[in-house]
């Protein structure tokens, strides 16, 4: 039991991996409070930041359905947050009383309270990012309900999440949205909370989670690609199709198919509750009729890239599914102007890579670091080593053995460029010094063996190297020997470059011709600007309008941006920020003035565009 000056009568109410929670009496005013203590003796700066963020958000918000924070106090080397105590228990605790799930007459009013709490949070432009039954608390007598645990919440309207090890993901893995896994090629916005809410509703109604596995990567794959067993099947005859459809809509894999507003969800739940109270049953009605979003959201879909995505996935499938005797590597070239969507296209591989339990690593060449050999490859494999360091001790031992077998007495060669590798394979003996071409040849051979260690039928490897118009000669030589002579298996190497900056005399062009003469599997995708039809579809989906209604606007945008996807998105966003694209709340629709937009000046240069955006920021 702890002792903390100024408080007495401590009662432990939660003991988790990262924190302990106590109910106590504050001596100064005899008020009952909740104390949340960061558990570790030596907290990291990141853990301290999260605690401070949780306190600051809860303290500043002052929302009826978000827990109130009274203070943040230091204790020994850690922090304590002092919260209000309104006699609440978590929904996790409540659920223990209902092994088959909470009855409908309790679930419906409860679901409305949770939806209202989320609506209040979203009204302040905050995404919770960790909605689950343990972070929703309720007073069982008064039914007063509040959200807690804002430690990873964000005040950004959109957040980029990138592919990383499941062990490193923010949030609770059983409830995490597909886009929060970083494997969906989508930014994260407030609709991520609706997915987590859907999983929470599913658990409240059934008593168990929609996806149950102890394998973190398998759980991630379930969230991004597998449909949960329908509630109609789980609760045969005990639940209405309407309520089951509401939960399914919340748990849609694509954010555009979920509810778009808490208002729309609340309206449907209120209709269910009214029907249930009047007749004891819920008849089917059209969901989402009041679910018109007044938030500006450009869909995350890649428009006009269906064929290119298919070719990329087919290339990965060939590499991943080939038999041991026929296994091979493949080189995929992706070319196009800046802003054309090369990186976005490659990220469409995240989902199939997860399904095959593969690894994806990424490196980028820099215009001003061409004198640093292997920079992009070293960065890519440094990230892979960091991913491995989050694995279990058993897995780490397996990787240690595999890497040491591949590198032999030359492990020091790789440690010199990727120091973190030493944390996996341990300290390695020094190696003899070599000069010039001998040193480079040794490095190429050892690094090839290092790469081969990661390319297996169980874990195919995808390496994405970006901006190869700035590649250094040493990396080019390594790639040539990697694909030409070594015949590494289960490897997909994707290289992207601006073809307007790579002419016939460029070293990259010469290397690619050599590889083709050696019968290396080389396939090329050239990305073109968006067509008028594709821009019409993008704008119609963004503004929830008929295609004919946005045709003139789309023609204007094509003229201003030449169909470049990056500039198209930036142009539409600028229209919204400059109030040239507005939502009419009375008529519940988006409106614009085509003549005003016509007069708007817009750069087609990415540097000028970013400078203009920076100028508009506060000093």
């Amino acid at each position: 039991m702890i002792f903390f000056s100024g408080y007495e009568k401590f009662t432990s109410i939660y003991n988790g991996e990262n924190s302990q929670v106590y109910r106590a009496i504050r001596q100064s005013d005899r008020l009952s409070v909740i104390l949340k203590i960061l558990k570790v003796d030596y907290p990291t700066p990141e853990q301290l930041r999260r605690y401070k963020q949780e306190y600051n958000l809860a303290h500043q918000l002052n929302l009826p359905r978000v827990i109130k924070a009274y203070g943040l106090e230091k204790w020994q080397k850690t922090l304590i947050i002092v919260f209000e105590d309104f006699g609440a228990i978590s929904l996790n605790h409540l659920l223990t009383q209902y092994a088959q799930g909470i009855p409908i007459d309790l679930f419906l009013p409860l679901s409305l309270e949770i939806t209202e709490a989320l609506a209040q949070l979203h009204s302040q432009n905050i995404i919770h990012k960790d909605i689950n039954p343990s972070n929703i608390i309720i007073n069982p007598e008064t039914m007063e309900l509040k959200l807690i645990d804002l430690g990873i919440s964000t005040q950004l309207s959109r957040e980029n999440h990138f592919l990383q090890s499941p062990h490193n993901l923010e949030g609770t893995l059983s409830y995490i949205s597909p886009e929060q896994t970083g494997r969906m090629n989508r930014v994260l916005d407030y609709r991520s909370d609706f997915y987590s809410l859907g999983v929470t509703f599913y658990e409240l109604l059934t008593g168990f989670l929609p996806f149950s596995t102890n394998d973190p990567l398998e759980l991630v794959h379930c969230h991004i690609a597998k449909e949960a067993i329908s509630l109609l099947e789980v609760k045969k005859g005990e639940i209405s199709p309407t309520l089951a459809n509401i939960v399914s809509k919340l748990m849609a894999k694509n954010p555009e198919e979920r509810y778009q507003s808490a208002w729309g969800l609340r309206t449907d739940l209120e209709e269910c509750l009214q029907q249930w109270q009047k007749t004891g049953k819920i008849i089917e009605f059209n969901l989402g009729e009041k679910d018109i979003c007044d938030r500006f959201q450009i869909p995350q879909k890649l428009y006009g890239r269906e064929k290119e995505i298919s070719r990329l996935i087919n290339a990965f499938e060939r590499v991943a599914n080939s038999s041991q005797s026929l296994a091979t590597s493949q080189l995929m070239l992706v070319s196009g102007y800046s802003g054309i969507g090369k990186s976005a296209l490659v990220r469409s591989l995240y989902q199939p890579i997860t399904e095959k339990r593969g690894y994806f690593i990424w490196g980028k060449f820099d215009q001003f670091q061409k004198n640093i050999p292997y920079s992009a490859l070293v960065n890519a494999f440094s990230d892979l080593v960091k991913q491995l360091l989050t694995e279990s001790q058993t897995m780490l031992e397996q990787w240690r053995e595999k890497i040491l077998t591949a590198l032999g007495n030359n492990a020091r060669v790789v440690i010199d460029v990727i120091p973190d590798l030493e944390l996996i394979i341990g300290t390695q003996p020094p190696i003899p010094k070599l000069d010039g071409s001998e040193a480079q040849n040794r490095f190429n051979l050892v690094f090839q063996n290092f790469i081969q260690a990661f390319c297996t039928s169980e874990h195919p490897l995808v390496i994405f190297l970006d901006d190869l118009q700035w590649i250094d000669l040493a990396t080019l030589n390594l790639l040539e020997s990697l694909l030409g002579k070594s015949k590494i298996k289960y490897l997909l190497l994707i290289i992207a470059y601006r073809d307007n900056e790579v002419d016939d005399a460029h070293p990259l062009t010469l290397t690619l011709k050599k590889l083709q003469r050696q019968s290396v599997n080389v396939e090329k995708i050239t990305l073109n600007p968006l067509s008028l039809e594709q821009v019409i579809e993008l704008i119609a989906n963004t503004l929830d309008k008929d295609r004919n209604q946005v045709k003139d606007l789309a023609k204007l945008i094509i003229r201003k941006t030449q169909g470049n996807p990056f500039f198209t998105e930036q142009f539409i966003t600028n229209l919204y920020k400059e109030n040239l694209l507005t939502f009419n709340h009375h008529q519940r629709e988006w409106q614009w003035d085509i003549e005003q937009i016509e007069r708007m000046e817009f750069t087609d240069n990415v540097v000028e565009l970013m400078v203009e955006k920076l100028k508009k920021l506060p000093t």
Side-chain angles (χ1 to χ4, degrees):
M1 183 60 67
I2 67 155
F3 173 77
F4 180 46
S5 178
Y7 298 86
E8 61 183 52
K9 297 183 180 177
F10 294 93
T11 307
S12 176
I13 57 176
Y14 174 75
N15 187 10
E17 189 178 331
N18 299 311
S19 61
Q20 291 173 294
V21 182
Y22 294 89
R23 181 171 274 118
I25 300 296
R26 190 162 61 185
Q27 292 171 340
S28 60
D29 53 10
R30 312 306 300 168
L31 184 69
S32 179
V33 295
I34 301 295
L35 302 176
K36 182 176 179 180
I37 302 171
L38 190 53
K39 196 171 179 180
V40 290
D41 293 331
Y42 298 97
T44 65
E46 174 61 15
Q47 288 172 317
L48 293 171
R49 183 197 66 76
R50 284 188 178 182
Y51 251 53
K52 288 173 184 175
Q53 173 172 303
E54 182 174 0
Y55 164 72
N56 287 330
L57 277 178
H59 184 67
Q60 291 165 13
L61 286 172
N62 199 27
L63 295 171
R65 285 183 174 81
V66 175
I67 194 78
K68 288 181 174 58
Y70 294 147
L72 179 70
E73 304 183 26
K74 287 184 178 179
W75 182 64
Q76 295 178 1
K77 291 183 175 64
T78 189
L79 292 172
I80 295 179
I81 309 177
V82 185
F83 289 111
E84 65 173 316
D85 178 15
F86 64 101
I89 59 171
S90 72
L91 290 192
N92 256 353
H93 189 274
L94 181 69
L95 198 53
T96 59
Q97 302 169 35
Y98 302 95
Q100 306 300 315
I102 290 173
I104 300 294
D105 54 355
L106 175 56
F107 171 79
L108 286 171
L110 196 58
S111 66
L112 274 164
E113 287 293 313
I114 301 169
T115 302
E116 175 58 30
L118 203 51
Q120 288 184 7
L121 202 62
H122 288 174
S123 72
Q124 303 300 307
N125 292 317
I126 290 170
I127 311 168
H128 190 284
K129 287 166 57 180
D130 200 12
I131 294 291
N132 68 71
S134 65
N135 287 336
I136 304 167
I137 57 174
I138 187 170
N139 182 310
E141 294 178 8
T142 65
M143 295 303 286
E144 183 182 9
L145 178 144
K146 300 196 179 197
L147 298 177
I148 63 170
D149 203 348
L150 305 177
I152 63 169
S153 299
T154 180
Q155 289 175 291
L156 298 170
S157 58
R158 290 154 71 111
E159 216 177 53
N160 281 308
H161 279 231
F162 297 104
L163 189 149
Q164 56 183 311
S165 164
H167 303 281
N168 283 350
L169 293 173
E170 287 186 326
T172 307
L173 209 51
S174 294
Y175 304 86
I176 206 166
S177 71
E179 58 271 27
Q180 203 170 341
T181 67
R183 294 167 185 257
M184 284 293 282
N185 194 18
R186 288 173 173 271
V187 297
L188 180 144
D189 61 37
Y190 70 98
R191 294 170 296 184
S192 174
D193 285 342
F194 289 145
Y195 181 90
S196 303
L197 182 63
V199 178
T200 299
F201 282 178
Y202 190 105
E203 185 179 17
L204 292 177
L205 285 164
T206 63
F208 56 83
L209 286 160
F211 306 117
S212 181
T213 172
N214 293 323
D215 183 336
L217 196 58
E218 174 64 23
L219 192 50
V220 165
H221 181 242
C222 288
H223 284 307
I224 66 177
K226 289 191 177 178
E227 295 298 330
I229 300 171
S230 168
L231 284 173
L232 290 175
E233 194 175 324
V234 176
K235 306 280 287 185
K236 284 178 182 170
E238 296 178 42
I239 193 169
S240 76
T242 300
L243 202 50
N245 290 339
I246 287 174
V247 176
S248 293
K249 187 174 173 69
L250 285 166
M251 288 179 62
K253 303 301 182 188
N254 292 322
E256 289 81 13
E257 294 168 15
R258 295 175 206 151
Y259 279 95
Q260 302 301 297
S261 66
W263 164 257
L265 172 60
R266 186 169 55 196
T267 303
D268 287 351
L269 288 171
E270 282 171 348
E271 175 66 24
C272 290
L273 180 60
Q274 286 170 13
Q275 288 192 28
W276 182 263
Q277 289 174 337
K278 283 181 184 175
T279 65
K281 59 183 180 180
I282 303 167
I283 61 169
E284 288 193 60
F285 59 90
N286 292 331
L287 299 182
E289 290 201 335
K290 299 283 179 71
D291 188 35
I292 298 171
C293 181
D294 61 354
R295 290 174 184 248
F296 177 75
Q297 298 282 350
I298 296 176
Q300 297 294 299
K301 176 183 169 185
L302 286 183
Y303 289 88
R305 302 292 187 234
E306 292 79 10
K307 288 180 182 175
E308 290 85 353
I309 290 171
S310 179
R311 287 178 62 192
L312 205 53
I313 291 174
N314 287 341
F316 173 71
E317 296 285 351
R318 283 196 298 274
V319 166
N321 293 334
S322 52
S323 65
Q324 182 64 42
S325 58
L326 298 173
T328 184
S329 59
Q330 168 131 16
L331 174 62
M332 178 67 81
L333 316 177
V334 181
S335 65
Y337 282 80
S338 176
I340 206 74
K342 299 184 291 293
S343 301
L345 176 74
V346 174
R347 287 197 294 270
S348 64
L349 278 176
Y350 285 176
Q351 193 168 326
I353 288 170
T354 302
E355 187 177 351
K356 298 292 183 186
R357 307 181 76 83
Y359 287 108
F360 176 94
I361 57 175
W362 172 79
K364 189 179 176 75
F365 291 97
D366 190 291
Q367 186 175 6
F368 303 108
Q369 291 187 345
K370 289 165 86 170
N371 59 325
I372 303 174
Y374 314 112
S375 60
L377 263 178
V378 167
N379 288 339
F381 278 94
S382 295
D383 284 343
L384 179 55
V385 168
K386 287 184 173 72
Q387 286 182 49
L388 296 183
L389 285 168
T390 66
E391 299 279 6
S392 66
Q393 198 56 44
T394 307
M395 281 293 290
L396 272 179
E397 282 299 320
Q398 290 175 13
W399 279 115
R400 180 177 182 273
E401 195 173 313
K402 188 179 285 189
I403 294 167
L404 283 174
T405 302
L407 300 183
N409 296 326
N410 290 311
R412 192 82 230 167
V413 171
V414 182
I415 289 175
D416 285 344
V417 292
I418 306 175
D420 283 346
L421 183 63
E422 198 166 44
L423 299 172
I424 298 177
I425 63 174
T427 304
Q428 297 298 309
I431 49 172
K433 286 191 175 181
L434 299 175
D435 294 323
S437 60
E438 285 185 326
Q440 186 171 355
N441 290 338
R442 178 175 65 183
F443 180 87
N444 286 356
L445 183 61
V446 174
F447 210 84
Q448 283 171 35
N449 293 338
F450 180 61
I451 293 172
Q452 179 69 77
F454 296 102
C455 302
T456 65
S457 56
E458 297 85 15
H459 302 285
L461 178 65
V462 177
I463 305 175
F464 173 41
L465 299 178
D466 202 359
D467 281 334
L468 261 80
Q469 67 273 5
W470 297 319
I471 192 170
D472 60 278
L473 289 175
T475 306
L476 263 181
N477 290 333
L478 175 57
L479 294 184
E480 186 183 337
S481 57
L482 189 67
L483 291 162
K485 300 167 191 169
S486 68
K487 301 297 181 190
I488 287 181
K489 300 173 179 179
Y490 304 111
L491 169 68
L492 175 59
L493 176 63
I494 306 170
I495 63 173
Y497 58 95
R498 300 175 192 172
D499 48 7
N500 59 308
E501 297 183 30
V502 175
D503 58 21
D504 289 344
H506 194 286
L508 175 61
T509 308
L510 302 175
T511 300
L512 292 175
K513 285 178 179 176
K514 276 189 204 172
L515 289 172
Q516 285 171 323
R517 285 197 295 271
Q518 294 174 43
S519 302
V520 173
N521 290 327
V522 181
E523 194 173 339
K524 184 175 182 180
I525 293 174
T526 302
L527 295 181
N528 297 310
L530 299 177
S531 68
L532 175 61
E533 285 303 310
Q534 289 155 0
V535 174
I536 287 173
E537 186 186 357
L538 186 156
I539 298 167
N541 292 345
T542 301
L543 305 180
D544 196 22
K545 291 278 191 181
D546 184 80
R547 294 170 71 95
N548 287 327
Q549 291 176 290
V550 301
K551 198 167 189 177
D552 289 340
L553 179 59
K555 285 179 179 176
L556 190 155
I557 290 171
I558 281 278
R559 285 206 313 275
K560 296 275 188 180
T561 66
Q562 284 77 52
N564 181 293
F566 176 75
F567 285 120
T568 299
E569 185 169 321
Q570 291 297 319
F571 186 83
I572 301 169
T573 304
N574 277 5
L575 294 184
Y576 172 71
K577 288 182 176 176
E578 299 292 336
N579 290 321
L580 296 172
L581 187 61
T582 56
F583 188 79
N584 185 317
H585 286 84
H586 180 65
Q587 296 179 11
R588 304 290 293 169
E589 67 172 9
W590 288 95
Q591 297 178 338
W592 61 90
D593 184 329
I594 201 85
E595 290 180 3
Q596 272 189 297
I597 296 171
E598 188 75 66
R599 292 193 293 269
M600 179 181 176
E601 290 185 10
F602 187 75
T603 177
D604 62 356
N605 179 295
V606 69
V607 176
E608 288 177 15
L609 175 66
M610 299 314 291
V611 169
E612 286 303 314
K613 290 179 77 170
L614 287 170
K615 284 179 181 174
K616 291 176 182 176
L617 293 172
T619 308

